[in-house]
């Protein structure tokens, strides 16, 4: 699985970068030449829902299903290389968490991948739209009863961890504060496009961050 994922990522990177590299070589001063790079950190919140954790006792007796919805939060960052006035190729990665249920169950995702976006320019405002393709790992710790601050093991806990492939469309804008500094605002939708998982909630995440920019 990991080897296949690495092959997919390598092929995608080559496909995304090839047009820009070829055109940059053919047109040293053309519209597809290297035009700078940027990178920075972002925080996010949002709203996700739709996931359900259906649990069973060791003997197979159904236990109360746990609805998963609420406000996720997390942190991450991105790095992008600019080609011409509009095309950007790069990578990003984030950690995002959701606390749900009556007993503070916890769902966490670490994910990242390769991104491709297209940016426009309107004075100091730079809107963009794009997509990230990659993968990650989800961890779901479900609690069916309150957890005490003691050293006694808990009998009603479920632990799940699985990997997945991700496709994440996004839209946003950058506000140019100076030649080197930009504020970025973004919204995305993280999708699990591999095996369907009932306990994988989906929804919009809203990002805010600081981006450091270095032009050509």
């Amino acid at each position: 699985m990991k080897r296949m994922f690495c092959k997919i990522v390598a092929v995608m990177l080559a496909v995304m970068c090839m047009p820009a590299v070829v055109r940059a070589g053919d047109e040293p001063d053309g519209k597809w030449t290297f035009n700078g790079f940027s990178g920075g950190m972002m925080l996010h919140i949002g709203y996700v829902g739709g996931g359900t954790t259906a649990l069973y006792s060791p003997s197979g007796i159904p236990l109360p299903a746990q609805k998963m919805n609420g406000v996720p939060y997390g942190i991450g960052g991105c790095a992008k290389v600019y080609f011409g006035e509009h095309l950007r190729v790069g990578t990003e990665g984030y950690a995002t968490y959701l606390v749900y249920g009556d007993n503070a169950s916890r769902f966490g995702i670490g994910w990242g991948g390769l991104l491709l976006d297209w940016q426009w320019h309107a004075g100091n405002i730079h809107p963009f739209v794009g997509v990230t393709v990659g993968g990650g790992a989800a961890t779901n710790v479900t609690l069916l009863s309150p957890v005490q601050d003691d050293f006694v093991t808990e009998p009603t806990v479920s632990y799940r961890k699985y990997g997945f492939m991700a496709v994440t469309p996004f839209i946003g804008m950058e506000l140019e504060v100076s030649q080197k500094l930009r504020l970025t605002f973004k919204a995305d939708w993280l999708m699990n496009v591999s095996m369907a998982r009932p306990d994988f909630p989906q929804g919009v995440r809203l990002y805010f961050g600081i981006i450091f920019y270095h032009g050509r």
Side-chain angles (χ1 to χ4, degrees), residues 85-162:
E85 292 296 320
H86 304 287
L87 178 65
R88 304 191 298 181
V89 179
T91 183
E92 65 178 352
Y94 301 94
T96 184
Y97 304 96
L98 171 68
V99 178
Y100 68 94
D102 297 330
N103 302 301
S105 299
R106 186 177 176 90
F107 184 83
I109 302 175
W111 70 276
L114 302 173
L115 68 85
L116 179 70
D117 75 18
W118 190 265
Q119 185 179 60
W120 294 269
H121 309 284
N124 291 334
I125 299 176
H126 309 276
F128 59 86
V129 62
V131 64
T132 298
V133 179
T139 303
N140 186 8
V141 179
T142 307
L143 307 174
L144 292 181
S145 61
V147 176
Q148 305 298 325
D149 184 14
D150 54 32
F151 296 96
V152 179
T153 60
E154 307 296 334
T156 54
V157 177
S158 168
Y159 176 85
R160 282 170 46 78
K161 184 174 183 179
Y162 54 86

Side-chain angles (χ1 to χ4, degrees), residues 30 33 37 40 46 56 72 78 94 106 120 123 162-163 191-192 194 202:
T33 57
F37 59 90
Y56 299 88
C78 66
Y94 301 94
R106 186 177 176 90
W120 294 269
Y162 54 86
M191 298 183 293
N192 175 3
S194 51
Q202 297 189 53

